[in-house]
Amino acid sequence: MKKVRVFAPASIANMGCGFDVIGLALDDVGDIIEITESEGDGLTIINKSGVPMPEDIEMNVITPVVRSFLQRIGKKAKIEVTICEKIYPGSGIGSSAASSAAAAYGMNELFGCPLSEEEVVLCAMEGERLASGGYHADNAAPAVMGGIVLIRGYEPLDIIKLPVPGNFYCAVVHPHLVVNTKEAREILPKEVPMHDAVSQWGNVGGLVAGLCTGNIGLIGRSMKDSIAEPYRKKFIPGFDELRGNLHDVGVLAMNISGSGPSVFALCDKNEVAEKAGGMMRRHFEGRDIGCEVYVVKVSNKGCKLMGISI
Ligand code: HSE
């Protein structure tokens, strides 16, 4: 029997303009799982995290990830996954992607790394497909690889890790509102007016250029979303007011984290991120909406092997 223990970080998808194509990994917040392999066939998932998860194994994002991995390497095995620590589902910081990434990365480590990093991301994306009905890598890729990741294309998958300026922090607030990712995708229009498309690809280019040259101002002013935010912000009470107040304390940008309802502010100073976090808490609590706030450094590290035993 062989066993691994792995960590996969939380992540923030889209970074404003990069709907489905840009995401970033966060430091130290994430999922920890253990995977054991023994002779035979079948999958068991044990949840010791204390976070509620679906009873039905077919509804757990780990299931399609493990199956897709075994299919890729052409092997059968008896796999037991224990979820030790888990980001709360619906928190808007890539809960399903962290489980999917941990399962894909952990399986790869368990079997002696037969898959490339890109193939590990492809396996993790199977979990995202189950969670949201969409086949996107903007949480899964940064969760596996760390840092800020651009998905240039999906057919075939073409992923580029972008440079992360040294001291980037995110204040993230998870207001206790229910916004299901599937629904948040379904409300988006199938067609985009040319004017909005032009503004969006200008901003994506600006964000990538800003990250590559370390131009903080350019990064901040490029993080604007003309495609999803106009439809999704109505689920977040006082969204525009919060953004105005956060800009006043010096954040570089504030956007919806992935499909929401979480919101994040990108900052180039920890003090500003702390201030932004406090402001976010007051914003929602002042509206009788409970929330959790995280102030976290943007991470260059993705999944980590924490232990292995044979
Ligand atoms: N890019 C995806 C979306 C991320 O915005 O729907 C989901 O977390």
Side-chain angles (χ1 to χ4, degrees):
M1 196 173 82
K2 204 173 165 191
K3 178 175 173 181
V4 291
R5 182 177 170 89
V6 295
F7 167 83
S11 55
I12 289 179
N14 299 345
M15 285 190 79
C17 54
F19 178 76
D20 279 1
V21 299
I22 300 182
L24 63 81
L26 297 173
D27 242 0
D28 297 334
V29 183
D31 281 18
I32 296 177
I33 66 168
E34 290 174 352
I35 314 179
T36 58
E37 181 229 343
S38 48
E39 258 178 54
D41 194 7
L43 171 65
T44 314
I45 301 177
I46 302 160
N47 179 17
K48 289 191 179 163
S49 69
V51 173
M53 302 203 68
E55 293 284 321
D56 179 0
I57 198 169
E58 296 302 326
M59 299 308 290
N60 193 312
V61 296
I62 289 175
T63 301
V65 175
V66 169
R67 286 184 185 148
S68 138
F69 176 87
L70 290 172
Q71 197 178 8
R72 274 177 184 272
I73 65 164
K75 279 198 178 155
K76 281 190 172 171
K78 192 169 176 211
I79 301 293
E80 184 180 287
V81 179
T82 305
I83 303 163
C84 307
E85 286 181 28
K86 172 90 213 91
I87 304 168
Y88 224 86
S91 57
I93 50 170
S95 167
S96 58
S99 299
S100 305
Y105 176 85
M107 287 294 285
N108 202 36
E109 291 292 332
L110 193 62
F111 283 83
C113 298
L115 299 190
S116 67
E117 196 170 48
E118 221 160 79
E119 289 170 312
V120 171
V121 173
L122 281 167
C123 291
M125 285 169 69
E126 294 301 332
E128 290 292 75
R129 196 200 297 268
L130 176 63
S132 73
Y135 193 56
H136 53 91
D138 49 343
N139 287 109
V144 170
M145 300 163 70
I148 299 180
V149 177
L150 167 72
I151 299 107
R152 192 213 52 85
Y154 280 92
E155 291 167 359
L157 189 66
D158 188 357
I159 318 177
I160 299 125
K161 201 168 164 180
L162 299 169
V164 182
N167 281 313
F168 260 15
Y169 296 86
C170 281
V172 190
V173 60
H174 171 217
H176 297 166
L177 304 163
V178 178
V179 177
N180 173 291
T181 302
K182 246 180 205 160
E183 284 162 30
R185 293 179 76 81
E186 279 164 10
I187 58 158
L188 301 180
K190 301 286 168 276
E191 284 171 17
V192 172
M194 181 63 86
H195 174 270
D196 294 343
V198 168
S199 132
Q200 197 86 354
W201 59 57
N203 281 322
V204 171
L207 177 55
V208 171
L211 290 167
C212 291
T213 57
N215 184 333
I216 305 293
L218 178 58
I219 294 169
R221 68 178 187 273
S222 302
M223 287 173 64
K224 294 200 180 101
D225 175 16
S226 324
I227 307 280
E229 184 185 294
Y231 298 90
R232 289 176 168 177
K233 71 176 183 181
K234 54 178 174 261
F235 297 123
I236 303 166
F239 182 87
D240 290 323
E241 184 187 325
L242 177 61
R243 174 179 276 155
N245 291 338
L246 289 169
H247 276 285
D248 289 345
V249 296
V251 308
L252 300 173
M254 182 205 100
N255 297 105
I256 300 172
S257 174
S259 57
S262 295
V263 162
F264 77 100
L266 185 71
C267 309
D268 62 347
K269 289 183 193 73
N270 190 27
E271 316 82 87
V272 176
E274 291 287 351
K275 230 184 247 178
M279 190 170 263
M280 289 166 156
R281 182 181 294 286
R282 286 191 294 281
H283 176 87
F284 288 105
E285 288 182 350
R287 286 168 170 76
D288 288 330
I289 301 168
C291 60
E292 280 98 40
V293 175
Y294 312 82
V295 176
V296 198
K297 195 163 192 246
V298 177
S299 176
N300 250 316
K301 300 183 289 272
C303 286
K304 273 187 295 210
L305 181 64
M306 301 175 79
I308 187 160
S309 56
I310 297 166

